[in-house]
Amino acid sequence: MTFSVPVTVRGYELDVQGHVNQAVYLQYAEHARWECLLAAGLQADKLVAARIGPVVLESTIKYRRELRGGDEFRVTCEFEWGTGKTYRIRQEMIRVDGTLAAEVAVIGGLLDLDARRLLEDPAARLRGLAEKPELLGG
């Protein structure tokens, strides 16, 4: 299942060329990932109480078309689970006219907050805590 959240570009997110600063794309992607977790019922305090936390291990951004001040777009979030300690999240930033502005690929893991090590089978751990596990993909 693909989750998405609407975003509007704010003026302070622009660089001197008048388009969104490259670092802000990572903030948009992070915002969408947390909104997805929240929608699934995985609030930060719930994760901390379970002594686990999602971590980003790698992010790759492909810039396709610029986003400018006032642009409205959606940031998607789609989990891809494997069998090890890591997972992938595919994200797209799509303007309301359907234009793909950027693609973000994230490799993440689930950190044991006490041992400071990645946990095995992060999908099972997150789905077990989630109120709407279907938002976390298949």
Side-chain angles (χ1 to χ4, degrees):
M1 172 180 229
T2 301
F3 177 86
S4 71
V5 62
V7 177
T8 301
V9 175
R10 296 164 292 248
Y12 61 83
E13 297 170 329
L14 304 178
D15 61 18
V16 296
Q17 288 86 11
H19 57 237
V20 171
N21 177 279
Q22 52 87 24
V24 176
Y25 286 85
L26 291 174
Q27 293 173 342
Y28 293 153
E30 179 83 1
H31 171 66
R33 291 192 302 271
W34 274 107
E35 287 297 311
C36 182
L37 291 176
L38 286 171
L42 295 169
Q43 299 81 359
D45 59 343
K46 187 176 194 176
L47 295 172
V48 170
R51 305 303 299 145
I52 60 175
V55 292
V56 172
L57 303 170
E58 181 181 316
S59 294
T60 304
I61 304 172
K62 293 181 183 178
Y63 303 98
R64 301 299 188 186
R65 296 286 184 268
E66 67 181 353
L67 289 170
R68 299 179 58 85
D71 280 353
E72 296 177 355
F73 63 101
R74 298 193 73 73
V75 184
T76 66
C77 189
E78 187 169 1
F79 285 81
E80 297 176 359
W81 302 101
T83 57
K85 294 181 181 181
T86 63
Y87 53 88
R88 295 182 180 276
I89 304 172
R90 302 270 179 215
Q91 297 182 268
E92 293 181 331
M93 296 175 196
I94 305 167
R95 291 196 305 229
V96 293
D97 68 1
T99 301
L100 179 63
E103 297 171 277
V104 179
V106 171
I107 297 175
L110 195 57
L111 186 69
D112 178 316
L113 296 181
D114 297 317
R116 309 307 287 180
R117 300 274 187 241
L118 292 179
L119 294 168
E120 293 285 345
D121 200 1
R125 295 294 299 265
L126 287 176
R127 286 187 184 123
L129 289 172
E131 295 166 16
K132 295 181 180 177
E134 65 274 10
L135 292 178
L136 303 175

